[in-house]
Amino acid sequence: MILSALLTSVGINLGLCFLFFTLYSILRKQPSNVTVYGPRLVKDGKSQLSNQFNLERLLPTAGWVKRALDPTDEQILSNLGLDALVFIRVFVFSIRVFSFASVVGIFILLPVNYMGTEFEEFFDLPNKSMDSFSISNVNDGSNKLWIHFCAIYIFTAVVCSLLYYEHKYISLKRIAHLYLSKPEPQEFTVLVSGVPLVSGNSISETVESFFREYHSSTYLSHVVVHRTDKLKVLMNDAEKLYKKLTRVKSGSISRQKSKRDGFLGMFGKKVDVVDHYEKKLEKLEDDMRLKQSLLVGEEVPAAFVSFRTRHGAAIASNIQQGIDPTQWLTETAPDPQDVHWPFFTASFVRRWMSNVVVFVAFVTLLILYIFPVVLVQGLANLHQLETWFPFLKSILNMEIVSQVITGYLPSLIFQLFLFIVPPIMLLLSSMQGFISHSQIEKSACIKLLIFTVWNSFFANVLSGSVFYRVNVFLEPKTIPRVLAAAVPAQASFFISYVVTSGWTGLSSEILRLVPLLWSFTTRIFCKEDDKEFEVPSTPFCQEIPRILFFGLLGTTYFFLSPLILPFLLVYYCLGYVIYRNQLLNVYAAKYETGGKFWPIVHSSTIFSLILMHIIAIGLFGLKKLPLASSLTIPLPILTFLFSIYCQRRFLPNFKSYPTECLVNKDKADARDQNMSEFYSKLVVAYRDPALSASQYSRDI
Amino acid sequence: MILSALLTSVGINLGLCFLFFTLYSILRKQPSNVTVYGPRLVKDGKSQLSNQFNLERLLPTAGWVKRALDPTDEQILSNLGLDALVFIRVFVFSIRVFSFASVVGIFILLPVNYMGTEFEEFFDLPNKSMDSFSISNVNDGSNKLWIHFCAIYIFTAVVCSLLYYEHKYISLKRIAHLYLSKPEPQEFTVLVSGVPLVSGNSISETVESFFREYHSSTYLSHVVVHRTDKLKVLMNDAEKLYKKLTRVKSGSISRQKSKRDGFLGMFGKKVDVVDHYEKKLEKLEDDMRLKQSLLVGEEVPAAFVSFRTRHGAAIASNIQQGIDPTQWLTETAPDPQDVHWPFFTASFVRRWMSNVVVFVAFVTLLILYIFPVVLVQGLANLHQLETWFPFLKSILNMEIVSQVITGYLPSLIFQLFLFIVPPIMLLLSSMQGFISHSQIEKSACIKLLIFTVWNSFFANVLSGSVFYRVNVFLEPKTIPRVLAAAVPAQASFFISYVVTSGWTGLSSEILRLVPLLWSFTTRIFCKEDDKEFEVPSTPFCQEIPRILFFGLLGTTYFFLSPLILPFLLVYYCLGYVIYRNQLLNVYAAKYETGGKFWPIVHSSTIFSLILMHIIAIGLFGLKKLPLASSLTIPLPILTFLFSIYCQRRFLPNFKSYPTECLVNKDKADARDQNMSEFYSKLVVAYRDPALSASQYSRDI
């Protein structure tokens, strides 16, 4: 790739970005789009858009950028929660890292690379190959490579110190968040699983007597979990029916007053629709009541146990309770909205086994992911299609159609397969027996990150068969050499990847094209009132791996091909503005994980650094500078030690709160008048929603 | 090696064993040896040997065997403690494993191996090579190998189920031990390190206010640790001087009434000895008092904090206390006798750094251990000696001398180097910043085990340079093939190793030759009363790695060369009897680790099994039975999963006691009358012995 080609691509994407931003700044001011661009504001009742028409509504303005940048970290923490703050801080951290990297890369490494071999053609810039800017332009054994060597050491030191600072900042914010927040049920509650079955006692009695005995001073109440999966099916049916009924009654579906009650409404005798639905609903509710009364007996050996103090809950969750470590397992309870109810049917052994199965499935998917893609792409083969569907022959023989099919279909299929990866990861994680949606998301986020790095980075770099790739990692000694030979060659590909996928991805994120079109269509075709809309939940699980992957690209190419750095810096700056805007206006967190995404960022950064070091070790070897290669070896070891130190120093704070905070907060609560009210709410907070189902038929 | 040679070696060692046992059974009955063969009994006042002479004293009897086998597990637990029980159970477990292995090996695998290729020479047993009994005798691709394949699966299943059973048994015994024992200071106490320095407050005040604030209901008292290393030097001097003085006074060293007070007692004016020593002692004690008063200021930011209940201590030790995870670090306090005082000068970072340094030192020692040995062995080279010490020339030229030097000196030096390994491991572990001797011993035990496996097993099997060995492990794919080729070849060496090192080691353990000779010499040359003797502490740290190493040999050679199994079985049976005897009569535990050596046994057994599987995978490959090779691959994975399951299922119980036990025991204590007395003892239990030094001069 030559420089001018890159610049063309940058220009096109820059144009697209500006177009999207302009569209956004106009569209967001239209009152009809308020549920697309400001659902969070609408929900909070903060939307100030008037229906009055004025000229300013049609002009693109940049006021939203200012508004997005306005709130301080403290305001974000108190309004949007800790997870949003962590998400923003990831961008801040990345901007800092790549600002430094860009300065070093552009002003020191790039000139060194460019003057590596050829002096004469200094001024023919546009036709230069991208290789002229990368380390491959430097002669073998040249002493200029020592500049790269120093840059690697300095860059690592800077990243590590920034990481340390950020880790400290976020862990302090986590404590601050606890002090700021109101009492939450999850702080006072512990999930107990593996309750032993005592003959003659119900599970509820066993739990009660155990905690009355061993936590007599702090025990408040408990809620035993029930097996409610069948009930939930009935509930969903009832809810749908109820919605339909209200619609029929209000007249929004008034086309047919009566329908046949047979198959698909086509056979049988005619009945009145309202009557028909009401009867059906009543029957369903009878079923539900029956199930509910039956379910009181169907207890699962797990319970949410609530305590009078946070410290009491921490004591129960941190210390092994029963003599048998597989019984009376305790863990911090999730947010009541965050509970993943289906988990509770699993026992200790089954939960553990499903963990193993999911792990195996994930590794298999990771390694063999390419096969189904290739298989389906094979179906897009022209000859194959012709033999299978002979009637398509005439169409397929057309020049344009065949070009589209052979050119775009395979990459389209690949993209489609990439789209289904996040749901698959979520599905895998949800099978692992996590008790909360946030844990599932966190686990899916890690899986997705590994998947992205493996199938986007290593698949592109180590082009060749899957087995070749796996094989490389089975021979640890050859890794540096293989990577050092393969990674620099892909520099131009990844630069254009940052520009196309990164930049355009961000601008389509802010435009929210799919929700926009959806809202537009529903407004035209449905006459329903559009007050019923859901605030989308923040897509941490999908976005964090992508952001971290760009960080990995930047870190590994920092000394190989520093031209990538300014593009990345632009990406992070754009992302910072856009995601602040989206978090303030669009998304709302359904639950709070307490900043638990940060450790993933930490590990990913450390991994990127070590990967860079390994490539450097191999590259200095290939460039015939064995001394530099040997002198780089301590770097990954030191980085790894730094990582362990950080984990010891900060990670405990991400797992649970220290006694100091809990007791202080408990003491502050004790002076609070509203605590008795909170306790009465706490007692019922963890009732299974299925068991406290509202009675729809009464509302009609 | 042919069978008859092996039998000769077995015969010689069997003879030696019988000789040692006979000697033991006679010598132990002599009253003068009571401090050698029954120091524990003497200490407890249970020794029943009369000085009266009778004939039975000179006859070898086997009554001691019966007495050693008599006590039940419950009696051992209550009299000797949990560690002793665990030590005995290791033998029980090994006997069970190798009984089964011997039956399968001798009656199924051995005949299969023997009839592998040659039928004709069936009856010429004594001249058979040992190879005829090993798997190498079976033809390549023979279906008989499937018998070995099945044996491996069955053996693994049996070992795993026995391991599970034993793990369960010991973890229940651990709980039983807590319920049986009297209140111990360590159960009520927590060691707090990383106390933050608050300006204007002493460390003692900071600790007091922190625990009064956050553990108001259970906090009892605390003892701040002081820097006492210099004081300890003075104390040791004073103690030595005091002993000398009492000896001079009592007249046991009465040869000189006066001595010169100059250099080495040879110059200067003559002084009265008693006077001289008394003055010196007084001066030392003045120094000590001065130091003690100074030390009150020299506080270390660490303290032993005692609580009113066990549960209170568990709460403090299990939950992070301060906001900064590097401050207010808590851990369960060790036994007061078990505290390793020198550790306390180290801070969090220094402790962590020294851990890293020790790890690096250990790995270096592990890999490069062979170099110093080879170097020193080089000095034992004849020519070298002749050039260095020309006057030895005539002696070295003698046939016998040269044979001894070239033949025995190198192996002698190697053995000497092996002797210094345990102290080196103890030294390394003591530098790691452990707070108790028992932790140091446990860590040294693990190090010694790794060292033994690496330098005795892999060094013998992968004969070749050190770098070759390290290289093998850097290419994971080649490991099975290399091991499968190398391990079977060493079968006969390891069989004779079991017989010589194992059997004779055990019988010399029971004879206690060194203490016997020592006691004999001191009785002849010193006229001191022999009431002053120390009960030796149980050498868990040295013995457990050796026992486990034999287990590793047995497991890996189980299907390769089953001839080793009966010899191992004999070793374990002998060891069972002998160590029961030694634990009952000789050793006394200085401190109780609470069975924490068992997890090492577990990990080592799992490692042995997986090593066996890896060898099997390689061997089936070499024997051209690739299907068996592939079908063995799930086995190490399953074993590993089993190990993880066990660790989750049982390990928590080895780390701390569950709430259930603690609260029950606390409630039982609350009904006890003696608790106030115990509390007053608890308050002073963790005073540094250096600060409460007794005043020797007053006793004189």
Side-chain angles (χ1 to χ4, degrees):
Chain A
M1 200 188 228
I2 59 170
L3 191 60
S4 59
L6 175 71
L7 289 178
T8 316
S9 162
V10 170
I12 293 170
N13 282 288
L14 215 56
L16 269 176
C17 284
F18 270 108
L19 178 70
F20 280 14
F21 287 149
T22 315
L23 274 175
Y24 170 72
S25 73
I26 294 169
L27 284 172
R28 64 181 292 280
K29 281 186 268 187
Q30 312 311 317
S32 54
N33 291 334
V34 75
T35 56
V36 178
Y37 295 120
R40 186 195 169 86
L41 294 179
V42 175
K43 207 79 177 177
D44 295 356
K46 282 183 197 158
S47 175
Q48 308 133 330
L49 282 183
S50 63
N51 268 323
Q52 232 179 342
F53 180 84
N54 56 15
L55 191 70
E56 208 226 353
R57 261 175 61 182
L58 295 179
L59 290 178
T61 48
W64 61 274
V65 175
K66 202 192 155 296
R67 275 196 297 282
L69 294 178
D70 247 5
T72 62
D73 278 3
E74 277 68 35
Q75 283 165 339
I76 288 179
L77 184 66
S78 58
N79 294 333
L80 307 181
L82 191 57
D83 286 336
L85 181 70
V86 167
F87 194 63
I88 297 294
R89 292 304 296 193
V90 176
F91 281 102
V92 173
F93 168 70
S94 304
I95 290 173
R96 283 186 183 153
V97 167
F98 289 106
S99 305
F100 173 80
S102 297
V103 170
V104 174
I106 299 302
F107 295 107
I108 300 174
L109 296 183
L110 201 66
V112 170
N113 290 342
Y114 189 67
M115 295 183 289
T117 38
E118 318 145 73
F119 272 96
E120 62 280 17
E121 300 168 55
F122 195 80
F123 294 100
D124 190 17
L125 263 176
N127 289 325
K128 279 282 172 188
S129 150
M130 296 281 287
D131 278 350
S132 326
F133 302 101
S134 86
I135 200 168
S136 39
N137 204 38
V138 181
N139 283 334
D140 284 3
S142 161
N143 277 329
K144 283 179 183 166
L145 288 170
W146 286 104
I147 298 171
H148 294 85
F149 173 82
C150 295
I152 291 168
Y153 260 89
I154 294 168
F155 180 67
T156 307
V158 169
V159 173
C160 285
S161 51
L162 283 173
L163 202 56
Y164 182 87
Y165 170 78
E166 205 64 31
H167 225 142
K168 195 171 180 179
Y169 182 85
I170 289 171
S171 85
L172 285 179
K173 284 288 170 219
R174 202 176 120 86
I175 303 287
H177 182 64
L178 174 73
Y179 278 133
L180 278 176
S181 64
K182 282 189 197 142
E184 297 279 351
Q186 67 268 27
E187 292 164 1
F188 292 82
T189 308
V190 157
L191 171 68
V192 180
S193 49
V195 178
L197 299 171
V198 179
S199 64
N201 275 10
S202 73
I203 285 175
S204 178
E205 284 161 1
T206 313
V207 171
E208 172 104 21
S209 70
F210 185 89
F211 283 93
R212 282 231 180 283
E213 176 82 15
Y214 299 113
H215 295 271
S216 48
S217 59
T218 52
Y219 171 74
L220 178 69
S221 68
H222 73 274
V223 177
V224 173
V225 181
H226 289 82
R227 191 169 281 120
T228 54
D229 27 355
K230 283 170 202 162
L231 189 61
K232 251 163 222 156
V233 176
L234 288 181
M235 267 185 72
N236 282 340
D237 288 354
E239 199 168 1
K240 271 184 211 154
L241 213 58
Y242 174 70
K243 275 189 184 161
K244 222 170 186 175
L245 198 61
T246 46
R247 253 182 259 161
V248 170
K249 279 197 166 176
S250 68
S252 63
I253 309 176
S254 50
R255 275 154 290 183
Q256 39 169 166
K257 271 283 175 210
S258 61
K259 63 172 267 181
R260 291 171 200 275
D261 64 349
F263 178 69
L264 287 173
M266 286 191 287
F267 310 103
K269 61 178 202 298
K270 276 195 177 181
V271 287
D272 181 67
V273 176
V274 176
D275 235 40
H276 169 77
Y277 283 140
E278 271 179 357
K279 266 182 202 154
K280 222 169 161 184
L281 189 61
E282 263 169 36
K283 196 167 155 280
L284 259 177
E285 285 190 338
D286 282 348
D287 274 9
M288 272 163 64
R289 264 189 291 273
L290 188 70
K291 271 263 177 311
Q292 277 178 352
S293 60
L294 283 175
L295 275 174
V296 177
E298 252 194 279
E299 289 177 327
V300 173
F304 287 98
V305 180
S306 296
F307 295 84
R308 294 197 166 273
T309 59
R310 290 179 183 82
H311 193 218
I315 289 169
S317 70
N318 277 295
I319 306 182
Q320 184 195 333
Q321 297 294 309
I323 290 177
D324 185 340
T326 57
Q327 289 180 342
W328 296 112
L329 288 171
T330 50
E331 55 193 307
T332 323
D335 208 317
Q337 278 94 50
D338 189 11
V339 178
H340 179 61
W341 294 100
F343 139 77
F344 289 100
T345 43
S347 68
F348 177 83
V349 178
R350 230 174 102 188
R351 206 174 156 185
W352 188 79
M353 289 295 287
S354 59
N355 253 308
V356 173
V357 170
V358 167
F359 177 77
V360 172
F362 174 66
V363 171
T364 317
L365 183 68
L366 200 63
I367 295 177
L368 304 181
Y369 170 74
I370 212 78
F371 284 121
V373 177
V374 169
L375 213 78
V376 179
Q377 279 178 350
L379 294 185
N381 190 303
L382 277 188
H383 287 286
Q384 201 73 52
L385 283 177
E386 278 181 14
T387 37
W388 285 7
F389 309 102
F391 54 91
L392 288 177
K393 206 164 191 172
S394 57
I395 305 175
L396 289 174
N397 281 340
M398 284 162 67
E399 184 78 9
I400 301 171
V401 174
S402 77
Q403 268 188 355
V404 167
I405 287 180
T406 51
Y408 284 88
L409 213 54
S411 83
L412 191 72
I413 289 169
F414 190 78
Q415 286 294 324
L416 279 179
F417 263 90
L418 270 184
F419 266 110
I420 60 164
V421 169
I424 290 178
M425 295 303 158
L426 277 170
L427 182 73
L428 280 181
S429 296
S430 70
M431 282 158 57
Q432 264 177 286
F434 289 115
I435 56 160
S436 65
H437 296 291
S438 61
Q439 284 175 350
I440 293 173
E441 273 214 25
K442 193 188 152 199
S443 162
C445 177
I446 296 171
K447 288 197 184 73
L448 201 57
L449 179 62
I450 297 172
F451 189 88
T452 314
V453 171
W454 178 257
N455 272 316
S456 299
F457 186 76
F458 288 113
N460 273 306
V461 164
L462 305 172
S463 48
S465 75
V466 183
F467 287 112
Y468 170 69
R469 258 192 283 159
V470 175
N471 230 358
V472 166
F473 287 92
L474 285 182
E475 283 176 52
K477 273 202 305 179
T478 59
I479 293 176
R481 219 169 37 77
V482 172
L483 284 182
V487 173
Q490 296 296 323
S492 53
F493 170 78
F494 282 121
I495 292 178
S496 58
Y497 181 83
V498 169
V499 172
T500 53
S501 173
W503 292 10
T504 318
L506 278 177
S507 43
S508 62
E509 162 69 39
I510 199 165
L511 195 62
R512 288 171 60 76
L513 205 64
V514 176
L516 181 69
L517 289 177
W518 178 251
S519 114
F520 192 67
T521 347
T522 49
R523 245 181 303 145
I524 290 174
F525 293 103
C526 297
K527 283 163 193 160
E528 291 180 55
D529 48 351
D530 54 4
K531 267 170 203 160
E532 242 183 69
F533 68 93
E534 268 193 36
V535 183
S537 84
T538 331
F540 292 126
C541 155
Q542 285 90 328
E543 294 305 323
I544 289 180
R546 199 189 303 177
I547 299 165
L548 293 178
F549 178 61
F550 284 117
L552 179 109
L553 288 184
T555 313
T556 44
Y557 281 101
F558 158 68
F559 75 103
L560 294 174
S561 184
L563 205 60
I564 202 174
L565 297 168
F567 299 106
L568 266 178
L569 190 59
V570 170
Y571 167 79
Y572 280 118
C573 291
L574 277 181
Y576 179 68
V577 176
I578 287 171
Y579 277 107
R580 277 180 84 103
N581 180 63
Q582 300 298 81
L583 286 173
L584 286 167
N585 299 326
V586 179
Y587 299 123
K590 285 218 176 104
Y591 29 76
E592 180 67 51
T593 71
K596 284 192 182 168
F597 283 105
W598 177 257
I600 302 177
V601 179
H602 173 86
S603 312
S604 161
T605 310
I606 295 290
F607 174 79
S608 309
L609 282 176
I610 291 180
L611 185 64
M612 173 181 84
H613 301 151
I614 291 172
I615 295 171
I617 291 170
L619 195 86
F620 288 135
L622 286 183
K623 287 268 174 196
K624 300 195 177 119
L625 212 66
L627 182 61
S629 182
S630 317
L631 285 178
T632 315
I633 290 172
L635 202 50
I637 298 168
L638 289 174
T639 311
F640 185 67
L641 286 179
F642 166 79
S643 165
I644 295 176
Y645 174 74
C646 272
Q647 278 172 355
R648 285 225 184 169
R649 173 80 178 71
F650 297 114
L651 217 57
N653 265 350
F654 284 89
K655 283 191 180 138
S656 55
Y657 290 105
T659 307
E660 200 175 339
C661 300
L662 295 172
V663 173
N664 283 339
K665 187 81 178 157
D666 280 338
K667 283 187 177 165
D669 278 347
R671 289 188 291 272
D672 193 349
Q673 309 277 306
N674 305 323
M675 276 313 277
S676 60
E677 196 189 325
F678 172 74
Y679 283 141
S680 58
K681 271 187 209 158
L682 179 58
V683 170
V684 294
Y686 285 96
R687 286 244 174 101
D688 193 328
L691 286 177
S692 52
S694 64
Q695 304 292 304
Y696 296 114
S697 53
R698 279 186 215 153
D699 303 350
I700 303 167
Chain B
M1 202 190 229
I2 59 169
L3 190 60
S4 58
L6 175 70
L7 288 179
T8 315
S9 163
V10 170
I12 293 171
N13 282 288
L14 215 56
L16 269 177
C17 285
F18 270 108
L19 178 69
F20 281 14
F21 287 149
T22 315
L23 274 175
Y24 170 71
S25 74
I26 295 171
L27 284 173
R28 64 182 291 280
K29 282 186 266 183
Q30 312 311 317
S32 52
N33 291 333
V34 74
T35 57
V36 178
Y37 294 121
R40 186 194 169 85
L41 294 179
V42 174
K43 207 81 176 178
D44 294 358
K46 281 184 200 159
S47 174
Q48 307 133 331
L49 281 184
S50 66
N51 266 323
Q52 229 178 348
F53 180 82
N54 56 13
L55 192 68
E56 208 226 353
R57 259 174 64 182
L58 295 180
L59 290 179
T61 48
W64 61 274
V65 176
K66 203 192 153 297
R67 276 195 297 280
L69 294 178
D70 247 4
T72 62
D73 277 4
E74 277 67 35
Q75 283 166 336
I76 289 179
L77 184 65
S78 58
N79 294 333
L80 307 180
L82 191 57
D83 286 336
L85 180 70
V86 167
F87 194 62
I88 297 294
R89 293 303 295 192
V90 177
F91 281 102
V92 173
F93 168 70
S94 304
I95 289 173
R96 284 186 182 152
V97 166
F98 289 106
S99 303
F100 174 79
S102 297
V103 170
V104 174
I106 297 301
F107 294 109
I108 300 174
L109 297 182
L110 201 66
V112 170
N113 290 342
Y114 188 66
M115 294 183 290
T117 38
E118 319 145 71
F119 272 96
E120 62 280 17
E121 301 169 53
F122 195 80
F123 294 101
D124 190 18
L125 262 177
N127 289 325
K128 281 279 172 190
S129 150
M130 296 282 287
D131 278 350
S132 324
F133 303 101
S134 85
I135 200 168
S136 39
N137 205 38
V138 181
N139 283 335
D140 285 4
S142 161
N143 276 330
K144 284 181 182 165
L145 288 170
W146 286 105
I147 298 171
H148 295 84
F149 173 82
C150 295
I152 291 168
Y153 260 88
I154 294 168
F155 179 67
T156 306
V158 168
V159 172
C160 285
S161 51
L162 282 173
L163 201 55
Y164 183 86
Y165 170 79
E166 205 63 34
H167 225 142
K168 195 170 180 180
Y169 182 85
I170 288 172
S171 84
L172 286 180
K173 285 287 171 217
R174 202 175 120 87
I175 304 287
H177 182 63
L178 174 73
Y179 278 132
L180 276 175
S181 64
K182 283 190 194 136
E184 298 278 352
Q186 67 269 25
E187 293 164 359
F188 292 84
T189 308
V190 156
L191 172 68
V192 180
S193 48
V195 177
L197 298 171
V198 179
S199 62
N201 274 11
S202 72
I203 285 174
S204 178
E205 284 161 359
T206 314
V207 172
E208 173 105 20
S209 68
F210 185 88
F211 283 93
R212 280 231 181 284
E213 176 83 15
Y214 299 112
H215 296 270
S216 48
S217 59
T218 52
Y219 170 75
L220 179 69
S221 68
H222 73 272
V223 177
V224 174
V225 181
H226 290 82
R227 191 167 281 122
T228 54
D229 27 356
K230 283 170 200 160
L231 190 60
K232 250 164 223 158
V233 176
L234 288 180
M235 267 184 72
N236 281 341
D237 289 354
E239 199 168 0
K240 270 183 211 155
L241 214 57
Y242 175 68
K243 275 189 184 164
K244 221 170 187 176
L245 199 61
T246 44
R247 253 182 257 159
V248 170
K249 277 193 170 178
S250 68
S252 63
I253 309 177
S254 50
R255 277 154 289 184
Q256 40 170 169
K257 272 282 173 205
S258 60
K259 63 173 269 185
R260 288 170 202 274
D261 63 350
F263 179 67
L264 286 172
M266 286 191 285
F267 312 102
K269 63 177 199 297
K270 277 194 176 182
V271 287
D272 181 66
V273 177
V274 177
D275 234 43
H276 169 77
Y277 283 140
E278 272 179 355
K279 267 182 199 155
K280 222 169 160 183
L281 190 62
E282 265 170 36
K283 194 167 156 280
L284 261 176
E285 287 191 334
D286 282 349
D287 274 9
M288 273 161 63
R289 265 188 291 274
L290 188 69
K291 271 264 176 315
Q292 277 178 351
S293 60
L294 284 176
L295 276 175
V296 176
E298 254 193 277
E299 288 176 331
V300 173
F304 287 98
V305 180
S306 296
F307 295 83
R308 292 193 169 277
T309 60
R310 290 179 183 81
H311 193 218
I315 290 169
S317 70
N318 277 295
I319 307 181
Q320 184 194 331
Q321 297 293 310
I323 290 177
D324 185 339
T326 58
Q327 289 180 344
W328 296 112
L329 288 171
T330 50
E331 55 193 308
T332 323
D335 205 317
Q337 278 93 50
D338 190 11
V339 178
H340 179 62
W341 294 100
F343 138 77
F344 289 100
T345 43
S347 68
F348 178 82
V349 177
R350 229 174 102 188
R351 207 174 155 184
W352 188 78
M353 290 294 287
S354 61
N355 254 309
V356 173
V357 169
V358 166
F359 178 76
V360 171
F362 174 64
V363 171
T364 318
L365 182 68
L366 200 63
I367 295 178
L368 304 181
Y369 169 73
I370 212 79
F371 284 123
V373 177
V374 170
L375 214 77
V376 178
Q377 280 178 348
L379 294 186
N381 191 301
L382 277 189
H383 287 286
Q384 201 76 50
L385 283 177
E386 279 182 14
T387 36
W388 285 6
F389 309 101
F391 55 89
L392 288 177
K393 206 163 191 174
S394 57
I395 305 175
L396 290 174
N397 282 340
M398 283 161 69
E399 184 78 8
I400 302 170
V401 174
S402 76
Q403 269 188 356
V404 167
I405 287 181
T406 50
Y408 285 87
L409 214 54
S411 82
L412 191 72
I413 289 168
F414 190 79
Q415 286 294 325
L416 279 179
F417 263 91
L418 270 184
F419 265 111
I420 60 165
V421 170
I424 290 177
M425 295 302 158
L426 277 170
L427 182 73
L428 281 181
S429 297
S430 70
M431 281 158 58
Q432 262 177 287
F434 289 116
I435 55 160
S436 66
H437 296 292
S438 61
Q439 284 175 349
I440 293 174
E441 272 213 26
K442 193 187 153 201
S443 159
C445 178
I446 296 171
K447 289 197 183 75
L448 202 56
L449 179 62
I450 297 172
F451 189 88
T452 312
V453 171
W454 178 258
N455 273 315
S456 298
F457 185 77
F458 289 112
N460 274 304
V461 164
L462 305 172
S463 48
S465 76
V466 182
F467 287 112
Y468 169 70
R469 260 191 283 159
V470 174
N471 231 0
V472 166
F473 288 91
L474 285 181
E475 283 176 52
K477 272 203 306 180
T478 59
I479 294 176
R481 219 169 37 76
V482 171
L483 284 182
V487 174
Q490 296 295 323
S492 53
F493 170 77
F494 281 122
I495 292 179
S496 58
Y497 182 82
V498 170
V499 172
T500 52
S501 173
W503 291 10
T504 317
L506 278 177
S507 43
S508 62
E509 162 69 40
I510 198 165
L511 194 62
R512 288 172 60 76
L513 204 63
V514 175
L516 181 70
L517 289 177
W518 178 250
S519 117
F520 193 67
T521 346
T522 48
R523 246 182 301 143
I524 290 175
F525 293 104
C526 296
K527 283 161 194 162
E528 290 180 55
D529 48 350
D530 53 5
K531 268 169 205 159
E532 242 184 70
F533 69 93
E534 270 192 33
V535 184
S537 85
T538 332
F540 291 125
C541 155
Q542 285 90 329
E543 294 305 321
I544 288 179
R546 200 190 302 178
I547 298 165
L548 294 177
F549 178 61
F550 284 117
L552 179 107
L553 288 184
T555 314
T556 44
Y557 281 102
F558 158 68
F559 76 103
L560 293 174
S561 184
L563 205 59
I564 202 173
L565 298 169
F567 299 108
L568 266 179
L569 190 59
V570 170
Y571 167 79
Y572 281 117
C573 291
L574 277 181
Y576 179 68
V577 176
I578 287 171
Y579 277 107
R580 277 180 85 104
N581 180 64
Q582 300 298 82
L583 286 173
L584 286 167
N585 299 325
V586 179
Y587 299 123
K590 285 219 176 103
Y591 28 78
E592 180 66 50
T593 71
K596 286 192 181 166
F597 283 104
W598 177 257
I600 302 176
V601 178
H602 173 87
S603 314
S604 161
T605 310
I606 295 290
F607 175 78
S608 310
L609 282 176
I610 291 180
L611 185 64
M612 174 182 81
H613 301 152
I614 291 173
I615 295 171
I617 292 170
L619 195 86
F620 288 134
L622 285 183
K623 286 268 173 195
K624 296 188 182 125
L625 211 66
L627 182 62
S629 181
S630 320
L631 284 179
T632 314
I633 290 172
L635 202 51
I637 298 168
L638 289 175
T639 310
F640 185 66
L641 287 179
F642 167 78
S643 165
I644 295 175
Y645 174 75
C646 270
Q647 278 173 354
R648 285 223 186 169
R649 173 79 178 72
F650 298 114
L651 218 56
N653 265 348
F654 284 89
K655 283 192 181 138
S656 55
Y657 290 105
T659 307
E660 199 176 339
C661 299
L662 294 173
V663 174
N664 283 339
K665 188 79 180 158
D666 280 339
K667 284 187 178 166
D669 278 349
R671 290 189 291 271
D672 193 348
Q673 309 278 308
N674 304 322
M675 278 312 278
S676 60
E677 197 188 325
F678 172 74
Y679 283 142
S680 58
K681 269 186 209 160
L682 179 57
V683 171
V684 294
Y686 285 94
R687 287 244 173 100
D688 193 328
L691 287 177
S692 53
S694 64
Q695 305 292 304
Y696 295 115
S697 52
R698 277 184 217 154
D699 301 350
I700 302 167

